[in-house]
Structure formats: C-alpha cells, structure tokens
C-alpha cells in the first residue's frame, strides 16, 4: 500500500483526518475552527492536457465557520519548482470549489522545513499580488513522543512523531513506546500505522528493530494470550515483550550484554521496572548501567 516515506507522510492524515486539526493546534499553534465533518477529495488538480498536476492529499473540512480545503504536501528536499506550483494549486482549487485553501507541508528534514516555510510572494516589490505562507510540520515542531502513556492518548499523533523524526537520532526513543501503544487500537489500524512508520525510517537497523516490534504487535492481536491480556488486564505478556525489546535495543546499539544482565532482564516480571530499563537502554553506554539510577 505505502511504498515510500513520501507517501507515508501525508497518508497518515487520510487514515485519521482529525489529526490535521490536532496538528494545527498542538504542532503549528495555529487556531482552526472545530470541524464538523471531513472528506478526502480527488487530489488531481490538472486543468488542461498534457500538463498533469496532483497534490499529495486534498481534504475538505467543514466547520461552523465555513469549509476549508487542506492541501497536504510531503516534501523530501528543496524543490524550487514547488514555489511555482503551490500558488497554482491554491488558486486553482479556490476557483474550482470556492472554499478557502490551506497549504500544509510535511517533511522529515529541518533544512527543508525552513525552506518550505518561507513566504512565496508574487508581484511587484512592496506590492505583492499574491502571498502564500505554507504551514510546515517537521522535526523541529513535532514533539518527540517517547512515553507510552502519551502515545496511547493519541496514537495517530505518535505515528506522526515517529514519521517526522524517522530519519533523525530521536527515532529510536519513539519506536518502542509506540509499538506498545499500537496494541490499544484495532488490528487493521495497527498494521497500517506500522507500515507507515517503516516507510519513514531512514536507518536499516531502526527498520529491523521496528519489524521485530511489529511482529510482537501482530502476535498480540493473533494469539489467544493477547485476548486474555485485553480481557483480564494481565501484564505478563507485555513484560516478556518489554524485556526482550530492552535486550534488542542494546544489541542494536552494539553494546555487549553479559549473561548476568540478560538473565536479570529476562527474569524480571515487574512491568514498571522493565519500562525504566528499556528507556535507559536507548542512552546507556554499558549494559550494566541499566540497573543504575541517574
């Protein structure tokens, strides 16, 4: 379904349209009216042949204050051609629908985010006939959601966090808490989100860790043990997964793990303690430091 980070970045909004307005409020700090309804529209903005123009995602948002068209563009790098096509998209869509268009650019790159955020001005110096001010979502304004409870509160936003930070050094801290949070959504959504995130991870080792985490998520949904966990609230299965993930993170970081450390981690059934160790595994320089406060 999703074969590249470009497709994954904007597809998250199609999976959960309400994420757009939450992103306006919590990421972009831009007021947006409370939506009443959403609709994903045809992204084709071709006007005449043979020129074909297509936005990445186009959504209609109905609010009590009016209807808006949200144009979401995923941008991997600077492309000066977009400074010509973005104003065209907005003008054409306004002429076609008569609804106010809003341009949102999403990227995994800080330099690209700064470039995309620059206003696009057309016309005379000091008297611009048109000004386009893209709203940009990227690693500099999307929070790093590395807390399991926080991820559970808003899984699509946590997915957005993992995707926008997917090519940076902060990606590893997000993956494990998010994998556990995916168990709170339905199996189909978890599978879609898992694929979106994998498409946006730039490091091969991070991809491998994510595949391992997702295999545990799939097991959770498919096994009878998982049903008991969901129905009875038991933590045994999660503790076992967490202990194995802690060791995998250390191995991914090429940190030697002694038999004593391995045995202590695997024999622990205290989920709270295992959570602490798994988070420390992302930062410690020695495996033994998992058990040291501070």
């Amino acid at each position: 379904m999703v074969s590249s980070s470009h497709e994954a970045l904007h597809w998250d909004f199609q999976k959960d349209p309400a994420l757009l307005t939450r992103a306006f409020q919590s990421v972009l700090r831009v007021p947006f009216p409370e939506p009443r309804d959403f609709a994903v529209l045809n992204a084709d903005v071709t006007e005449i042949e043979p020129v074909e123009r297509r936005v990445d995602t186009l959504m209609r948002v109905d609010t009590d204050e009016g209807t808006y068209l949200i144009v979401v563009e995923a941008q991997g790098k600077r492309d000066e051609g977009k400074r010509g096509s973005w104003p065209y998209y907005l003008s054409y869509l306004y002429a076609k629908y008569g609804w106010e268009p809003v341009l949102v650019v999403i990227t995994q790159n800080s330099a690209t985010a700064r470039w995309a955020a620059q206003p696009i001005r057309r016309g005379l110096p000091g008297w611009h006939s048109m000004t386009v001010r893209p709203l940009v979502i990227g690693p500099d304004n999307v929070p790093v959601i590395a807390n399991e409870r926080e991820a559970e509160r808003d899984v699509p936003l946590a997915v957005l966090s993992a995707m926008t930070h997917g090519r940076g050094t902060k990606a590893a801290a997000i993956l494990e808490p998010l994998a556990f949070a995916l168990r709170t959504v339905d199996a189909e959504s978890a599978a879609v989100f898992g694929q979106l995130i994998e498409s946006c991870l730039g490091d091969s080792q991070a991809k491998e860790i994510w595949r391992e985490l997702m295999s545990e998520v799939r097991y959770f949904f498919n096994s009878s043990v998982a049903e008991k966990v969901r129905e009875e609230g038991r933590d045994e299965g999660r503790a076992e997964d967490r202990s194995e993930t802690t060791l995998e993170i250390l191995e991914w970081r090429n940190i030697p793990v002694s038999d004593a450390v391995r045995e202590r981690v695997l024999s622990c059934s205290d989920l709270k303690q295992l959570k602490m160790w798994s988070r420390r595994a992302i930062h410690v320089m020695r495996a033994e430091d998992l058990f040291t406060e501070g």
Side-chain angles (χ1 to χ4, degrees):
M1 179 190 62
V2 180
S3 59
S4 68
S5 59
H6 178 275
E7 294 298 317
L9 282 172
H10 66 86
W11 207 91
D12 190 23
F13 296 112
Q14 296 187 29
K15 176 63 179 171
D16 180 13
L19 175 62
L20 265 174
T21 54
R22 297 201 299 278
F24 273 102
Q25 297 162 3
S26 62
V27 176
L28 297 169
R29 309 296 181 186
V30 172
F32 194 90
E34 190 66 26
R36 289 185 285 101
D37 190 26
F38 297 90
V40 179
L41 304 179
N42 189 326
D44 193 347
V45 291
T46 303
E47 186 173 9
I48 57 174
E49 297 292 349
V51 179
E52 179 180 345
R53 300 178 188 271
R54 187 177 299 274
V55 300
D56 289 332
T57 287
L58 178 63
M59 303 184 65
R60 188 196 73 227
V61 182
D62 296 325
T63 76
D64 290 334
E65 299 180 22
T67 297
Y68 295 86
L69 285 173
I70 311 296
V71 179
V72 183
E73 285 278 280
Q75 196 66 29
K77 60 183 179 180
R78 290 177 60 130
D79 180 357
E80 292 302 324
K82 290 298 180 72
R83 299 182 69 80
S85 57
W86 285 339
Y88 167 81
Y89 294 163
L90 301 184
S91 299
Y92 173 78
L93 290 169
Y94 180 77
K96 180 177 181 179
Y97 293 102
W99 299 323
E100 295 295 341
V102 180
L103 173 61
V104 178
V105 179
I106 181 168
T107 182
Q108 296 178 289
N109 184 279
S110 295
T112 302
R114 290 190 294 271
W115 164 80
Q118 297 174 9
I120 303 170
R121 298 184 174 93
R122 295 290 176 260
L124 295 171
W127 192 274
H128 303 114
S129 300
M130 175 187 295
T131 300
V132 175
R133 298 177 60 195
L135 293 165
V136 181
I137 296 174
D140 293 335
N141 59 0
V142 175
V144 176
I145 300 180
N147 178 279
E148 184 179 330
R149 296 305 174 202
E150 189 178 354
E152 288 177 352
R153 281 195 295 270
D154 194 336
V155 172
L157 183 61
V159 171
L160 181 66
S161 176
M163 293 194 303
T164 51
H165 293 282
R167 296 185 180 276
T169 58
K170 298 177 182 178
I174 302 172
L175 298 183
E176 186 199 2
L178 179 52
F180 281 93
L182 287 181
R183 302 181 185 204
T184 64
V185 302
D186 61 277
E188 181 181 356
S189 294
V192 171
F193 287 142
Q195 189 174 3
L196 293 176
I197 294 164
E198 182 175 338
S199 298
C200 289
L201 293 174
D203 181 82
S204 58
Q205 291 180 313
K207 281 182 180 285
E208 187 59 34
I209 281 190
W210 182 246
R211 292 187 187 115
E212 289 291 330
L213 290 168
M214 283 305 298
S215 69
E216 295 167 5
V217 171
R218 287 190 291 271
Y219 173 79
F220 176 83
F221 283 109
N222 293 333
S223 69
S224 58
V225 174
E227 190 63 29
K228 291 182 180 179
V229 172
R230 288 194 293 271
E231 291 180 355
E232 301 173 13
R234 295 171 58 190
D235 289 333
E236 289 86 344
R238 298 180 73 186
E240 181 179 353
D241 290 344
R242 178 79 68 163
S243 61
E244 301 229 357
T245 300
T246 299
L247 297 174
E248 287 172 357
I249 291 174
L250 292 172
E251 292 167 359
W252 171 52
R253 297 182 59 217
N254 294 319
I255 293 179
V257 179
S258 66
D259 290 341
V261 169
R262 186 179 301 275
E263 182 178 356
R264 183 172 176 181
V265 172
L266 291 176
S267 62
C268 180
S269 59
D270 184 338
L271 185 59
K272 184 177 180 180
Q273 181 66 72
L274 286 167
K275 286 181 180 179
M276 184 178 299
W277 288 348
S278 64
R279 289 165 186 161
R280 287 179 185 167
I282 298 169
H283 308 289
V284 297
M285 302 307 296
R286 300 183 313 125
E288 289 73 15
D289 293 340
L290 288 177
F291 317 124
T292 304
E293 295 289 342

